[in-house]
Amino acid sequence: MTTMQAIQKHHAGEGFKLIDAPVPTPGEGDVRIKVLKTSICGTDVHITNWDEWSAGRIKPPMIYGHEFCGIIESVGPGVTHVAEGDYVSAEMHHVKMTPSGNGAGPQFEDTHVIYGVDAPGCFAKYVVLPQWQCVELPDSITPEVGACLDSIGNAVHAATQVDLTGKSVFISGCGPIGLYSIPVAKALGATQVFAADVAPYRLELAKQAHPDFVWNPSDMDGDTNIDEAIHQATDGKGVDVVLEMSGNARAITTAFKTLSHGGSMVCLGIPPEPIELDLNRDVIFKSTRLIGVNGREIFRTWDIMLDLLASGKVDIDFVLTHHFPLSQFGEAMDIAKSGKAGKIILTP
Ligand code: ZN
């Protein structure tokens, strides 16, 4: 077989193209991975829509997609880290490995290149990556879950910023990362978990992870009621930790109000434009720990996440709502854009 089906960003504009692409050959230090499952991320929706960010960053034509798992099918010369037949996912931020010389193993340097954004990605039958990108997966992690580790890593990275043992946690925003955060926060020892979103579809999904309360601010006659409800549920104290996953300005303002004195505000959701913050009220006089998080720690977050999933402490199957063959990418993308989806899994 010399060609494979793939999803290509074919031009500098809206849309995508289903193409027959040459099967890539692994070079020195590279591996070719047969993609078992891949999933759609918000970034892929941006790339498909060709928004301002995509127009400034993506260089078509290019196969995109950056969340997947698969089996290493062939290896290039000089590969020592992984082998043919290994079940892997991959860190898609290019990690440049340099020998450390002190016996501590190779050190990595982030070069800000992301496979599937700046270089060919995984919306294809095969993907070629440098060996050091690969992360071996235990067999207990299903390929469907293995295709979502990039985004689960974001939830784990956010939730591990603060020791959640015995804490009350408010998850603001129930997109896939917010949804993963519910079982992750519980597994990390949170005693109370609250969640909110304006989309009824997402709240129904959230309920499947059994948080203590879920709220829809648009049903509550103003956001102040979420603040009141949380204070009631926490004996008037407010929550110890907010995981802000919405990036919505109003939700962020509300989230600060729900926080207890000395609480931690972990911000992962990205507001589309600058937002106003009452630093005196919400941060300084409240002794708030304000923590910004992005991506994940390579590879520390991977280790924690794989442990949580493989041990069965975290089950995220409830987030995986749709399955399509890769050839039906258009239908899958329409559902992703509708917001009525958790994670959408594609099979090449
Ligand atoms: Zn992503």
Side-chain angles (χ1 to χ4, degrees):
M1 195 194 0
T2 52
T3 64
M4 62 177 186
Q5 214 172 52
I7 302 298
Q8 186 190 58
K9 187 74 209 179
H10 59 300
H11 71 159
E14 203 261 329
F16 68 90
K17 201 170 175 185
L18 180 66
I19 59 162
D20 272 324
V23 172
T25 308
E28 170 97 33
D30 293 338
V31 299
R32 179 163 68 216
I33 306 163
K34 183 178 180 191
V35 177
L36 291 175
K37 301 281 175 187
T38 173
S39 73
I40 294 179
C41 168
T43 304
D44 304 317
V45 177
H46 292 303
I47 296 172
T48 308
N49 287 343
W50 202 248
D51 64 359
E52 220 180 289
W53 171 83
S54 309
R57 176 132 180 192
I58 311 291
K59 309 260 176 292
M62 193 194 70
I63 294 168
Y64 57 125
H66 60 269
E67 303 198 14
F68 82 103
C69 68
I71 304 283
I72 295 181
E73 191 231 23
S74 70
V75 302
V79 170
T80 52
H81 176 55
V82 282
E84 253 178 62
D86 284 355
Y87 175 38
V88 295
S89 182
E91 169 57 54
M92 295 299 255
H93 289 81
H94 177 71
V95 289
K96 189 178 164 208
M97 303 305 276
T98 51
S100 73
N102 62 6
Q107 302 295 297
F108 72 84
E109 185 192 329
D110 187 352
T111 57
H112 304 290
V113 167
I114 302 176
Y115 294 94
V117 173
D118 309 300
C122 62
F123 285 157
K125 188 89 194 159
Y126 297 94
V127 59
V128 163
L129 291 171
Q131 58 172 332
W132 295 108
Q133 307 301 129
C134 295
V135 179
E136 242 183 289
L137 302 183
D139 287 336
S140 58
I141 292 181
T142 63
E144 287 76 9
V145 173
C148 300
L149 296 171
D150 182 278
S151 50
I152 302 170
N154 296 147
V156 171
H157 185 39
T160 49
Q161 297 302 308
V162 184
D163 180 2
L164 296 185
T165 313
K167 301 276 170 64
S168 55
V169 178
F170 173 39
I171 295 157
S172 166
C174 294
I177 299 172
L179 291 170
Y180 300 140
S181 300
I182 301 171
V184 168
K186 286 185 177 191
L188 294 173
T191 43
Q192 281 182 303
V193 178
F194 314 116
D197 199 285
V198 290
Y201 180 91
R202 290 175 163 180
L203 287 177
E204 283 310 310
L205 284 181
K207 282 179 193 164
Q208 294 182 38
H210 309 293
D212 294 82
F213 292 103
V214 291
W215 292 291
N216 187 336
S218 46
D219 289 349
M220 292 180 77
D221 186 30
D223 298 347
T224 47
N225 292 5
I226 285 206
D227 173 32
E228 275 166 26
I230 285 188
H231 275 84
Q232 247 171 44
T234 54
D235 298 326
K237 232 180 99 211
V239 277
D240 298 312
V241 180
V242 170
L243 301 177
E244 211 307 303
M245 306 299 196
S246 77
N248 177 280
R250 259 182 79 184
I252 293 170
T253 306
T254 303
F256 271 110
K257 286 187 196 158
T258 68
L259 204 57
S260 64
H261 191 93
S264 298
M265 176 81 173
V266 182
C267 292
L268 179 134
I270 301 166
E273 47 201 45
I275 64 158
E276 242 176 72
L277 170 64
D278 188 335
L279 201 63
N280 288 355
R281 183 194 62 196
D282 291 334
V283 181
I284 298 169
F285 290 111
K286 225 174 169 178
S287 302
T288 299
R289 288 182 62 202
L290 181 56
I291 302 164
V293 289
N294 179 243
R296 69 207 75 83
E297 257 182 86
I298 306 164
F299 286 92
R300 180 176 164 264
T301 310
W302 283 93
D303 294 339
I304 300 170
M305 166 172 64
L306 294 180
D307 181 53
L308 288 171
L309 290 166
S311 64
K313 285 182 200 146
V314 167
D315 179 353
I316 60 93
D317 285 350
F318 72 103
V319 186
L320 315 180
T321 55
H322 293 78
H323 299 262
F324 288 97
L326 185 66
S327 57
Q328 287 178 27
F329 188 78
E331 284 99 311
M333 192 43 77
D334 286 344
I335 290 175
K337 287 181 194 172
S338 77
K340 288 192 176 166
K343 273 307 244 191
I344 301 175
I345 309 293
L346 303 167
T347 308

